[in-house]
Amino acid sequence: MASTLPGMSKADHPVAYLTDVEGIWEKLASFCRDNPHVSLEGRKRLEVRPGATFVYGGDAVDRGPDGRRVLETLLEAKRRHPSQVVLLAGNRDINKLRLARELNGHPLPRTPADMRSAPRPVLLRWIFENTMGARDAFRFRRDELVRTGEPVSDEDVVTSFLEDLGPQGLMRDYLAVCQLAYRLGNTLFVHGGVHEHSLGVVPTGEHVEGVDAWVEALNRWYREQMEAFIEGRLDRTGTPAWEPLIAYQAPTPGKRINTASVVYGRMADERNHPGLPSSTLIKTLARSGIHRLVVGHTPSGDCPSVLREEEFELILADNSYGRVDGASQLFLRDDSVYVEGRVKLEDGRLEHVHFQLTRGDTSVPIGRQLLETGHLVKGPLESGDWLLFRALPQYRMEQLPVAPSTLKGQMLGPARAGTH
């Protein structure tokens, strides 16, 4: 196969990674299809091969009609394989905690006056569209209720979301077994990103030295916040004791990013074009033995974006808003990355991208950026060309093939956000 790099093999990759399914079952199903590490048995039983780890990077719901099915499948797998399944909480998951109060008489201050007194279904639709970026979530839940034979009035839809947050509620139980960060070997996983303002910082104000101690402290704080929600605790002013978690998963007021949060940070510029962390941050991570950061949250075309600078790798694997159905396969081990997926080029052609990349291998241009145009070299196509990617304004993107001979004459450099 023309796209195969020397030594490529699916074997011996201990981590299978998927993120941002967002209620679209085909993303989970396609990831599991012909997957040597993770498979689907029956309608919604996810199996993890002995010795492998499955990391789900967050955002299980909102943009497809199978949100509950996705949650049930991931939660059941976590319960059966507690040491092999890692679930990261995404902003689309955490923000549902807001509904327990906002639909029960405590709307956000910026909620319009007419919405405050509106029927709950009207208010919930407004919340989804205006504060959660989930315009069709109400309709998707209704569709799911129809398929499962449950009542489907507007009030029934509202009730289903609130039941998910109550005792034995699906979303509450799911979030209770999630975490905010995970480290395995030389790889750090978070949902959104890591920046100077977030690394080592816990939302209590505590600063922790060393990645392992920080991950432990951050996850401990998350568990305490979830316990406060489950117990319904309020502080002395009557404010929910879990309010800090709500703030942590949201953008900084007036901005589209929160660099103090690993949930809502972005490893990309304002156009969503991916970029490496600063050299200072890379060196800080390296002192703790971290040479790879894997994130979701920020759409990055049809297949994962792998960015590299010397021994460091950044991988963005969210393909929501992509042009193809389904998700790519991404397998990781300390010394290599394996990617397989489909992409749709600007001329409408569907192509197959497929490669294994050894960490530190400078013989291939994967993960480098064309200095003149800012295009990221994503990987080899089955046709023999290289795939170039560039994010454009208004969430558009460009995916182009380029012949190896043409690419050979281009100046390449590290992919820094905002440098094109």
Side-chain angles (χ1 to χ4, degrees):
M1 181 183 295
S3 63
T4 301
L5 298 181
M8 182 164 55
S9 169
K10 279 191 177 183
D12 301 321
H13 290 262
V15 179
Y17 178 85
L18 176 67
T19 190
D20 294 86
V21 167
E22 297 182 2
I24 302 173
W25 182 257
E26 178 55 25
K27 288 185 181 295
L28 180 58
S30 60
F31 172 78
C32 292
R33 207 168 288 137
D34 298 320
N35 187 320
H37 309 299
V38 182
S39 61
L40 279 173
E41 307 295 335
R43 187 175 179 274
K44 53 184 180 183
R45 182 182 173 92
L46 191 146
E47 293 288 350
V48 182
R49 178 181 62 81
T53 299
F54 170 58
V55 178
Y56 182 74
D59 281 3
V61 298
D62 272 1
R63 298 185 59 249
D66 296 291
R68 275 183 159 179
R69 185 182 179 189
V70 171
L71 287 172
E72 288 171 357
T73 301
L74 295 174
L75 178 58
E76 195 272 341
K78 175 65 176 177
R79 287 170 170 169
R80 271 189 301 107
H81 302 288
S83 64
Q84 290 182 265
V85 174
V86 177
L87 304 177
L88 299 183
N91 54 290
R92 291 185 179 276
D93 313 313
I94 298 171
N95 67 18
K96 300 304 175 290
L97 299 178
R98 293 171 33 200
L99 300 180
R101 283 181 60 82
E102 292 178 36
L103 294 176
N104 285 298
H106 300 277
L108 293 176
R110 61 190 174 104
T111 305
D114 59 335
M115 285 294 115
R116 291 172 176 267
S117 58
R120 293 195 307 177
V122 176
L123 174 59
L124 181 56
R125 287 189 176 97
W126 184 88
I127 290 170
F128 281 144
E129 182 167 359
N130 295 277
T131 73
M132 290 187 178
R135 180 179 59 189
D136 296 319
F138 194 99
R139 174 174 62 85
F140 286 141
R141 175 56 62 90
R142 185 198 298 278
D143 291 345
E144 193 162 16
L145 293 177
V146 168
R147 288 200 312 276
T148 56
E150 299 174 64
V152 294
S153 72
D154 282 0
E155 273 296 330
D156 290 325
V157 174
V158 174
T159 298
S160 74
F161 279 103
L162 292 177
E163 287 178 346
D164 284 351
L165 298 170
Q168 288 81 53
L170 182 56
M171 180 60 82
R172 192 174 90 168
D173 287 353
Y174 177 81
L175 287 171
V177 298
C178 283
Q179 56 196 76
L180 295 182
Y182 176 65
R183 188 246 176 100
L184 182 64
N186 64 10
T187 302
L188 176 63
F189 301 85
V190 300
H191 176 63
V194 177
H195 298 269
E196 282 83 352
H197 296 138
S198 59
L199 182 61
V201 178
V202 182
T204 57
E206 177 186 7
H207 192 280
V208 181
E209 293 294 333
V211 169
D212 290 326
W214 171 61
V215 167
E216 181 180 353
L218 192 60
N219 288 334
R220 181 170 60 248
W221 173 80
Y222 172 79
R223 290 193 300 270
E224 292 168 352
Q225 288 285 289
M226 282 304 304
E227 288 169 2
F229 174 83
I230 291 169
E231 296 170 7
R233 294 203 304 266
L234 305 179
D235 64 19
R236 294 178 181 177
T237 67
T239 302
W242 63 91
E243 190 65 30
L245 178 58
I246 299 299
Y248 189 75
Q249 62 79 43
T252 302
K255 298 183 179 181
R256 295 175 57 195
I257 191 173
N258 183 350
T259 56
S261 167
V262 300
V263 178
Y264 219 91
R266 290 186 187 275
M267 310 308 296
D269 62 18
E270 292 183 354
R271 295 182 177 182
N272 279 343
H273 190 74
L276 288 159
S278 68
S279 296
T280 299
L281 187 59
I282 290 174
K283 291 177 182 177
T284 302
L285 291 170
R287 284 197 292 271
S288 289
I290 299 297
H291 298 284
R292 182 189 294 131
L293 176 62
V294 181
V295 302
H297 185 58
T298 301
S300 190
D302 290 338
C303 66
S305 295
V306 181
L307 285 63
R308 300 191 294 158
E309 183 174 21
E310 297 179 352
E311 291 292 303
F312 182 82
E313 296 171 345
L314 168 67
I315 301 178
L316 299 90
D318 176 2
N319 77 330
S320 60
Y321 297 97
R323 299 170 177 173
V324 298
D325 295 329
S328 300
Q329 290 182 339
L330 174 60
F331 307 138
L332 309 165
R333 61 180 178 185
D334 274 5
D335 63 354
S336 66
V337 174
Y338 177 93
V339 171
E340 183 169 358
R342 295 187 309 145
V343 297
K344 190 173 185 179
L345 303 176
E346 297 307 301
D347 61 7
R349 280 188 295 142
L350 282 173
E351 274 271 18
H352 187 220
V353 61
H354 181 209
F355 65 87
Q356 180 171 307
L357 180 65
T358 301
R359 188 167 64 87
D361 180 4
T362 60
S363 66
V364 291
I366 296 172
R368 307 288 280 177
Q369 187 167 281
L370 274 65
L371 297 182
E372 183 177 353
T373 65
H375 286 91
L376 176 70
V377 182
K378 274 208 165 186
L381 296 170
E382 195 169 32
S383 64
D385 291 333
W386 289 98
L387 172 65
L388 301 184
F389 168 83
R390 181 171 62 175
L392 301 173
Q394 299 178 336
Y395 297 100
R396 295 178 296 117
M397 65 178 175
E398 191 173 55
Q399 296 183 142
L400 300 169
V402 61
S405 58
T406 301
L407 186 62
K408 190 174 183 180
Q410 299 289 324
M411 293 289 292
L412 301 175
R416 297 289 182 195
T419 58
H420 68 285

